[in-house]
């Protein structure tokens, strides 16, 4: 339990997130609701923000899951935009996003298969891509240095563009101590999982001095120069 002194200190510092606290609601997709999008705390659309989801676009997959009883499965039989998202109240500072993804026959559309990131009013979006193909569960970690923005929230989004299936599970966002950190992404193949991506992924470092959309041009594999 947070002490009164800790609460007062957070109020004085203007802290909107606690270190180690998961800022994502229902990140394990365990709380289900009777709705086209069956996950409490999440929103979603088909074809960007133009078409509401219909039954079967995003489902609770109780067979394929990383942990718990279900994962979120984004399913497309034809190339199209499909996304789920959640507003997250954040303040400026360092954050670590962790999630687990798995793909089946995920194809590219307009040069990309899937992406995830943050967007907010009055600021450029922060984008990273996920690989196409078929592969088992992969752990995705992304370090962000979020600036102060006109809005008091960011929208976390997870997009697919092509046909196929993308499972997402155990999404967490924590505020972290930024000492010695750099913005970057790692995608790790978990032991005992089958499948491979079209291209190998390791650690991708980004310039922390800017919040322009990320290009992925500074890719390097873990353990290599």
């Amino acid at each position: 339990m947070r002490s009164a002194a800790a609460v007062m200190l957070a109020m004085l510092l203007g802290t909107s997130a606690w270190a180690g606290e998961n800022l994502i609601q229902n990140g394990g997709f365990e709380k289900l609701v009777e709705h086209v999008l069956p996950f409490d705390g999440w929103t979603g659309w088909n074809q960007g923000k133009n078409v509401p989801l219909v039954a079967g676009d995003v489902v609770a997959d109780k067979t394929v899951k990383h942990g718990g009883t279900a994962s979120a499965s984004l399913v497309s039989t034809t190339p199209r935009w499909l996304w789920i998202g959640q507003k997250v109240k954040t303040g400026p500072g360092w954050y670590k996003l962790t999630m687990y993804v798995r793909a089946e026959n995920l194809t590219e559309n307009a040069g990309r298969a899937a992406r995830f990131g943050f967007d907010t009013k009055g600021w450029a979006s922060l984008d990273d891509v996920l690989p196409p193909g078929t592969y088992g569960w992969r752990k995705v970690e992304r370090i962000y240095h979020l600036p102060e923005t006109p809005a008091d929230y960011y929208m976390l989004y997870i997009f697919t563009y092509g046909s196929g299936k993308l499972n997402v599970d155990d999404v967490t966002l924590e505020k972290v101590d930024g000492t010695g950190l750099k913005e970057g992404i790692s995608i790790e193949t978990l032991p005992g999982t089958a499948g491979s991506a079209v291209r190998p992924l390791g650690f991708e470092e980004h310039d922390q001095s800017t919040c322009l959309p990320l290009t992925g041009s500074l890719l390097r594999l873990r353990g290599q120069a």
Side-chain angles (χ1 to χ4, degrees), residues 106-214:
L106 191 62
T107 65
E108 291 187 336
N109 179 22
R112 50 190 172 183
R115 69 184 173 100
F116 69 95
F118 287 93
D119 192 16
T120 192
K121 293 180 179 179
W123 209 264
S125 61
L126 301 165
D127 292 340
D128 287 283
V129 297
L130 295 171
T134 296
Y135 45 89
W137 286 108
R138 296 187 171 197
K139 181 181 181 181
V140 179
E141 285 192 345
R142 176 67 160 91
I143 299 295
Y144 296 94
H145 189 197
L146 299 182
E148 188 171 359
T149 67
D152 64 349
Y153 71 90
Y154 274 87
M155 172 66 81
L156 168 68
Y157 53 80
I158 302 167
F159 262 98
T160 58
Y161 289 87
S163 61
K165 176 181 175 182
L166 180 72
N167 285 79
V168 183
D169 205 358
D170 296 333
V171 183
T172 62
L173 180 68
E174 302 170 274
K175 191 164 188 179
V176 295
D177 182 357
T179 304
L181 290 182
K182 291 185 178 180
E183 290 198 280
I185 178 176
S186 69
I187 302 181
E188 175 187 357
T189 300
L190 299 182
T193 59
S196 60
V198 171
R199 64 185 177 89
L201 291 171
F203 183 79
E204 189 173 352
E205 207 172 271
H206 298 295
D207 183 358
Q208 68 191 59
S209 65
T210 178
C211 284
L212 295 176
L214 304 174

Side-chain angles (χ1 to χ4, degrees), residues 2 16-31 42 86-90 95-100 118 156 169-176:
R2 298 167 183 161
S16 59
W18 294 78
E21 177 186 4
N22 185 11
L23 303 177
I24 303 297
Q25 299 179 48
N26 195 22
F29 303 101
E30 304 297 309
K31 297 179 181 178
W42 292 83
Q86 183 177 133
K87 282 186 177 181
V88 185
K89 290 186 70 69
T90 61
Y95 294 84
K96 181 175 75 170
L97 175 71
T98 304
M99 63 181 178
Y100 295 82
F118 287 93
L156 168 68
D169 205 358
D170 296 333
V171 183
T172 62
L173 180 68
E174 302 170 274
K175 191 164 188 179
V176 295

